[in-house]
Amino acid sequence: MDRHSDRLKLAEQIGAIPVDDSKVDPVEFVKDQTMGFGADRGCECVGYQAHDPSGNEQPNLTLNRLVDSVRFVGGLGVVGVFLPQDPGAPDELAKQGQVAFDYGNYWFKGQTMGSGQCPVKKYNRALRDLIAGGKASPSFLVSHELPLDKAPEAYRNFDDRVDGWTKVVLHPAGT
């Protein structure tokens, strides 16, 4: 689920079904694809910066959509960033690092949830070996390789979601 055409194209290139959530209700789409049951598992990857198709920040949007689109006794992964406090948040709950989570629906569906920051040290060597052995090729995500002095431009374009800026590799010694 996304609404940026460049990222939707990347998803399609790896065999995923790209869904523009500004054009389609993502929960209904998943249910339609799964005979109404919902996905076995789902992952929330946006976090507190989630926003509706009109651009209004709504920190709980993707989390609650995830609960709605995953089947009974399914699993949820939450890797999007949620902060302990967000002074610039759109509502009082979010300012305190809280979201209006549909716990009743989550409980009723008997879902399980894993969350938190990725334990990088646990996986980095195994992932490196998959890449070195030719079994994984994540470089398709890299849209730009730039010298280190272009970092401010790269961060600005990536943060502004400029079309075509997916991932940037910075080279300290130049390109």
Side-chain angles (χ1 to χ4, degrees), residues 154-170:
Y155 279 105
R156 188 172 37 260
N157 285 312
F158 181 77
D159 193 44
D160 290 344
R161 309 293 195 267
V162 173
D163 193 44
W165 287 80
T166 52
K167 294 291 178 191
V168 178
V169 173
L170 297 172

Side-chain angles (χ1 to χ4, degrees), residues 130-147:
L130 288 173
I131 294 166
K135 294 182 180 181
S137 301
S139 60
F140 76 94
L141 291 172
V142 176
S143 60
H144 295 78
E145 294 192 37
L146 301 169

Side-chain angles (χ1 to χ4, degrees), residues 65-163:
R65 280 181 171 173
L66 183 62
V67 170
D68 289 342
S69 63
V70 170
R71 68 176 170 82
F72 279 74
V73 302
L76 315 177
V78 181
V79 297
V81 174
F82 288 91
L83 301 173
Q85 295 108 13
D86 179 12
D91 61 57
E92 287 306 312
L93 277 178
K95 286 179 183 179
Q96 299 172 36
Q98 302 172 16
V99 295
F101 177 60
D102 190 354
Y103 191 81
N105 196 24
Y106 167 77
W107 179 88
F108 179 71
K109 292 176 89 172
Q111 296 170 332
T112 57
M113 181 187 305
S115 65
Q117 295 186 36
C118 174
V120 174
K121 298 287 186 189
K122 181 177 180 180
Y123 299 111
N124 65 353
R125 289 181 179 88
L127 294 172
R128 176 207 56 207
D129 293 345
L130 288 173
I131 294 166
K135 294 182 180 181
S137 301
S139 60
F140 76 94
L141 291 172
V142 176
S143 60
H144 295 78
E145 294 192 37
L146 301 169
L148 188 57
D149 64 350
K150 297 288 185 183
E153 172 191 347
Y155 279 105
R156 188 172 37 260
N157 285 312
F158 181 77
D159 193 44
D160 290 344
R161 309 293 195 267
V162 173
D163 193 44

Side-chain angles (χ1 to χ4, degrees), residues 5-126:
S5 62
D6 55 339
R7 296 192 302 211
L8 290 167
K9 287 176 191 168
L10 281 174
E12 189 171 32
Q13 287 175 8
I14 62 167
I17 300 170
V19 178
D20 184 337
D21 71 331
S22 69
K23 297 178 181 172
V24 175
D25 179 323
V27 173
E28 291 307 313
F29 182 86
V30 170
K31 288 182 178 180
D32 288 346
Q33 297 294 308
T34 59
M35 299 182 300
F37 292 107
D40 293 339
R41 304 234 179 278
C43 191
E44 194 289 329
C45 303
V46 180
Y48 78 100
Q49 292 180 316
H51 55 277
D52 65 24
S54 299
N56 301 309
E57 191 174 301
Q58 192 176 345
N60 64 340
L61 181 65
T62 55
L63 189 57
N64 286 326
R65 280 181 171 173
L66 183 62
V67 170
D68 289 342
S69 63
V70 170
R71 68 176 170 82
F72 279 74
V73 302
L76 315 177
V78 181
V79 297
V81 174
F82 288 91
L83 301 173
Q85 295 108 13
D86 179 12
D91 61 57
E92 287 306 312
L93 277 178
K95 286 179 183 179
Q96 299 172 36
Q98 302 172 16
V99 295
F101 177 60
D102 190 354
Y103 191 81
N105 196 24
Y106 167 77
W107 179 88
F108 179 71
K109 292 176 89 172
Q111 296 170 332
T112 57
M113 181 187 305
S115 65
Q117 295 186 36
C118 174
V120 174
K121 298 287 186 189
K122 181 177 180 180
Y123 299 111
N124 65 353
R125 289 181 179 88

